[in-house]
Amino acid sequence: MKKILHISASSRAEDSASYRLSQQLIAQLRKAYPEAQLVSRDLWAQPLPHVDFQYSNALSRHPGGTAHANGLSSLAWSDLLIEELKAADAVVIATPMHNFSVPSVLKAWLDHVVRIGVTFNATPEGKIGTLADRPVYIAVSSGGWRTGERARQPDFLEPYLRAILPTIGLKDLHFFSLQALAAGPDATTAAYAAVEQELANHFRA
Ligand SMILES: Cc1cc2nc3c(=O)[nH]c(=O)nc-3n(C[C@H](O)[C@H](O)[C@H](O)COP(=O)(O)O)c2cc1C
């Protein structure tokens, strides 16, 4: 493994629970692959533009569109982010749950990398990914319980990522969760104990 791409989607930088969990995942990967280079894409430190009309026109095969008024067009961002993803041997994503789903900054990244004719093709059999598969580790944090019998909210985050990432060819997904971090100290202690166990089970195997 030569390159690990780290995508972080929390606004709380290094105080973020998902970020800290993703650092544990990176540390585990580096134990096995000490020479691996880390490429960081902090979606808050350097916010991505939403996909613009040029990108939408290109993808939906509408003619027209002139260069973006300021900076990189979102097509250029898309090219750059797809190259970054292609170059990675493993991907680590840190994401909190926002309103039952992924934060908008992570959705913006997905809109750039899930691109028809580039990272997937639409075929009569459905959308077929073109990227080579590689492991994707996803660190998820949430204020409430997101899964299991105590969950009192719908979870569109994990099912969404389990649907969208394989669409571009990334099928080797590994989720690690810190749940109920806003449910008091006992729940927080239990959440950290549970994720330590998940990490031990996964990386011992
Ligand atoms: C805008 C916003 C929306 C949120 N929506 C949810 C939600 O739908 N469900 C939930 O359990 N927690 C929700 N939370 C709480 C965060 O998921 C929780 O605080 C998480 O631990 C933050 O992770 P971080 O430290 O990595 O940023 C929300 C927080 C914010 C700021």
Side-chain angles (χ1 to χ4, degrees), residues 83-125:
E83 285 312 310
E84 201 167 70
L85 184 52
K86 277 187 184 167
D89 301 295
V91 182
V92 177
I93 300 176
T95 180
M97 173 182 254
H98 277 183
N99 296 319
F100 311 149
S101 186
V102 294
S104 56
V105 290
L106 183 54
K107 179 61 166 57
W109 180 80
L110 288 163
D111 287 341
H112 283 94
V113 300
V114 180
R115 184 162 149 202
I116 191 166
V118 180
T119 54
F120 76 91
N121 291 314
T123 77
E125 286 73 45

Side-chain angles (χ1 to χ4, degrees), residues 64-75:
T66 54
H68 201 266
N70 47 11
L72 281 184
S73 73
S74 65
L75 262 181

Side-chain angles (χ1 to χ4, degrees), residues 10 12 15-19 96-100 141-144 153 181:
S10 170
R12 299 190 334 108
D15 290 338
S16 148
S18 57
Y19 178 89
M97 173 182 254
H98 277 183
N99 296 319
F100 311 149
S141 54
S142 57
Q153 59 181 340
L181 297 184

